[in-house]
Amino acid sequence: MWLIVVLHLAVVLAQTAIFPNFRSPDERQHVDLIVAVAQGRAWPWPDPGTLAVTEGSGAGGFTRSNRIGGPLHLADLPVPPRADRASFADAGGSAPADRVPANQLIQHPPLYYALGAAALALVPGWDRIPFDLTYLVLRWWNVLFAAALPLLLWAVARRLRLPEPLPIAAALVPLAIPELTHTESAVNNDNLLVPLFAVLTLLVARVLTGDLSRRTALAIGGVGSLALLTKGFALLVPAWILMVYAVAALRQRDRWRAAGWSLGVAWLACLPGLAWWVHNRIVYGSLQPHGRFTSMPDLTAHFSFADGGVFWLLRFLERMNTLFFVHDQTGAGLHHWPWRLALLAGVLVVVAVVATPMLRTLPHATIVVLLFPTVALLAIVAKGSYEQFAASHTYAAMQGRYLYGGLVGVAVVALAATARMHDRWRRWVPLALLGFAILIQMVYIGYTLDLFWTPANGNRTAVPGAIATWYALPPVVLILLLATLVAALAATLTATIRLASRPSSTDNDTPPTPTPTPTQPTAPTEPARVPV
């Protein structure tokens, strides 16, 4: 388990070098808003359309912050020595940037940006040192959030009593999603929202397995409130809380009062986060103002579903899957090998999720509760995307990463489809997942290196030197990162192979019994393990 944690962190840290600054969605705007909070320009929180992107936040990017039309050939471009690179102050400081729209990210609540400003305050003179180094500090701060995700996946799978070694397989899931590890390596408020949703999923799993304590309810509401202060997607949390306690009350009919009181405690603890959205509704007339404009744009429908709606739907589903697993930096929608592996992964996940209720390896109500965040997030994104399509016939908001809040639930439900396998075959699931993770990461990284770094003459041997030259820290840091990555991968692979090759302790092919539905309160205990 700890090898997986180290490997995951090594992969994410390595991607802080592979992806140039600005190459994550809205990364410059996220950094700019953190800087604005740190300088006091965005506190109190600005009104929509009033916060300009600064000139200073353009330092250290070296690339454009929007989509690119093709390979950048960064190895061919000159880059200043580290000591001579511009600081935030050198690049213009807080002066508004020319020809750059207002920072639309003020549509989000302030928690992530306040935490980022606190992290920035720990760097003396951050506005006077080369800004690519300040940028890297913020990226490494984001990596800290990634550390908990494999552990939380493992903990949820164990809490729901998935047989060994499926909790280990669950911990490997983030490695099999290159766009997730890319996002974790960048400055993005998803990096706070995703672990908060993962913690919520673990707490929900406790309720599903009989924990109706008010302490757990308070924790659910508190974490939900933090999520509500991070991003609008957390508006599904109150409905999710209602669903889980309704399921718990139906399962433990003699404890419906306890479930009701716990639901009330959880909702009460959500109020600080909900207050942000109530304020928006009262002051701006909308739960989530646009951010870039002082008033909400007109989204009156001018096109019906008959005007290309089928194409919009097919495009929406395809892009949500593709951009869940790999990021398309050009927006060209090419059907290259990363796209093919993303399609394969999406098909496997859907098949596994459909198979789990058929195999009854998890109670149906548990499956519904675990999948609710993904379904709700997909509905929220689809609604926003279709409104844009109906108003202007454009294809917007098709970002698969918006579904990461439901990642833990989907992963556990999908892996539960293998719970009925015989022990000797189930032990190969982590190795199969790790093998796929290695394959899709290598294919996607190869595509990324060619897109950003490979020179125009195709000489890939120049790529490592170019990355080392552009990176904000000396090459020795990258050497240590690479050595850690290789060692962690070798150790994890060896341990996973040994796990798969252990002899089975059973002599028959009787599948494990499905996880029983709790009917009475149970004290937290260690999940049952398959004998090894």
Side-chain angles (χ1 to χ4, degrees):
M1 183 61 239
W2 293 109
L3 287 174
I4 294 171
V5 171
V6 173
L7 175 60
H8 177 231
L9 286 176
V11 168
V12 176
L13 284 170
Q15 291 186 347
T16 64
I18 293 170
F19 289 90
N21 295 346
F22 293 9
R23 294 317 315 153
S24 175
D26 298 322
E27 191 171 25
R28 177 181 178 179
Q29 286 83 347
H30 285 295
V31 171
D32 189 87
L33 189 47
I34 289 172
V35 167
V37 175
Q39 293 184 324
R41 293 182 292 108
W43 202 266
W45 207 243
D47 290 327
T50 62
L51 184 69
V53 175
T54 62
E55 287 282 1
S57 65
F62 309 129
T63 67
R64 289 176 293 174
S65 59
N66 51 5
R67 285 177 176 174
I68 56 178
L72 295 181
H73 306 304
L74 294 180
D76 292 334
L77 302 181
V79 60
R82 290 183 183 85
D84 297 335
R85 295 175 188 175
S87 67
F88 180 84
D90 294 335
S94 301
D98 292 335
R99 297 183 300 276
V100 178
N103 195 329
Q104 82 277 15
L105 297 181
I106 58 173
Q107 66 183 307
H108 298 304
L111 179 60
Y112 172 81
Y113 305 100
L115 293 176
L120 207 55
L122 300 177
V123 183
W126 61 264
D127 58 337
R128 295 185 299 276
I129 62 177
F131 197 60
D132 64 331
L133 183 56
T134 304
Y135 211 110
L136 185 61
V137 169
L138 290 175
R139 280 188 164 189
W140 281 39
W141 165 70
N142 275 257
V143 172
L144 293 178
F145 295 123
L149 192 55
L151 290 167
L152 290 166
L153 278 153
W154 171 79
V156 172
R158 281 173 59 87
R159 182 71 192 188
L160 295 175
R161 298 181 181 273
L162 293 194
E164 296 290 352
L166 296 186
I168 295 296
L172 287 164
V173 165
L175 290 168
I177 309 175
E179 173 58 8
L180 175 62
T181 53
H182 165 214
T183 301
E184 290 171 331
S185 75
V187 184
N188 193 302
N189 60 1
D190 286 337
N191 292 327
L192 176 58
L193 187 70
V194 172
L196 287 174
F197 263 99
V199 173
L200 266 175
T201 308
L202 177 58
L203 294 170
V204 162
R206 291 184 64 88
V207 176
L208 290 172
T209 50
D211 184 354
L212 296 181
S213 68
R214 296 180 189 179
R215 181 168 56 183
T216 296
L218 183 62
I220 287 175
V223 175
S225 193
L226 293 176
L228 284 161
L229 289 171
T230 301
K231 203 162 184 175
F233 289 137
L235 286 166
L236 64 86
V237 167
W240 193 20
I241 294 173
L242 173 61
M243 176 182 287
V244 67
Y245 278 108
V247 169
L250 290 173
R251 285 177 173 176
Q252 305 179 51
R253 296 180 187 274
D254 59 331
R255 301 193 67 209
W256 65 270
R257 289 183 184 273
W261 278 108
S262 293
L263 171 63
V265 169
W267 270 352
L268 188 63
C270 276
L271 289 181
L274 283 171
W276 177 266
W277 303 98
V278 173
H279 165 269
N280 281 353
R281 183 66 181 174
I282 294 172
V283 176
Y284 305 119
S286 173
L287 281 177
Q288 184 165 18
H290 189 279
R292 186 167 289 170
F293 307 108
T294 55
S295 60
M296 291 293 291
D298 181 19
L299 292 178
T300 302
H302 299 290
F303 302 92
S304 69
F305 192 80
D307 299 319
V310 172
F311 180 77
W312 165 83
L313 179 60
L314 294 175
R315 180 183 175 94
F316 176 80
L317 294 175
E318 184 273 328
R319 298 302 283 168
M320 291 298 288
N321 179 78
T322 300
L323 298 180
F324 184 93
F325 289 99
V326 295
H327 194 274
D328 183 0
Q329 296 279 342
T330 65
L334 301 177
H335 291 180
H336 43 37
W337 272 107
W339 179 88
R340 294 170 186 170
L341 289 175
L343 180 61
L344 173 61
V347 170
L348 290 175
V349 170
V350 170
V351 169
V353 167
V354 171
T356 294
M358 297 173 64
L359 295 170
R360 297 181 179 274
T361 49
L362 281 176
H364 287 179
T366 297
I367 294 171
V368 170
V369 172
L370 291 177
L371 294 182
F372 175 77
T374 300
V375 174
L377 288 169
L378 186 62
I380 292 170
V381 177
K383 177 180 179 295
S385 180
Y386 185 74
E387 285 177 346
Q388 292 282 345
F389 169 80
S392 57
H393 223 260
T394 56
Y395 303 95
M398 297 181 179
Q399 293 286 336
R401 63 188 174 88
Y402 292 157
L403 305 183
Y404 287 158
L407 173 65
V408 174
V410 169
V412 170
V413 170
L415 285 169
T418 65
R420 282 188 177 274
M421 287 182 174
H422 186 269
D423 178 59
R424 72 168 66 97
W425 299 113
R426 196 172 58 248
R427 289 190 175 280
W428 288 86
V429 173
L431 183 60
L433 188 53
L434 179 58
F436 180 80
I438 294 171
L439 174 62
I440 193 170
Q441 286 280 2
M442 290 183 64
V443 168
Y444 184 60
I445 292 304
Y447 158 77
T448 301
L449 294 178
D450 279 343
L451 186 63
F452 294 145
W453 299 100
T454 302
N457 63 12
N459 179 20
R460 292 189 175 94
T461 60
V463 169
I467 293 175
T469 300
W470 283 64
Y471 201 55
L473 293 173
V476 64
V477 175
L478 290 180
I479 293 172
L480 291 174
L481 274 178
L482 181 61
T484 302
L485 174 58
V486 171
L489 177 58
T492 304
L493 189 59
T494 300
T496 312
I497 291 173
R498 290 178 62 188
L499 176 63
S501 59
R502 284 181 186 174
S504 174
S505 61
T506 57
D507 297 322
N508 56 63
D509 291 336
T510 303
T513 57
T515 304
T517 301
T519 56
Q520 58 184 8
T522 56
T525 58
E526 278 293 309
R529 301 192 182 192
V530 173
V532 178

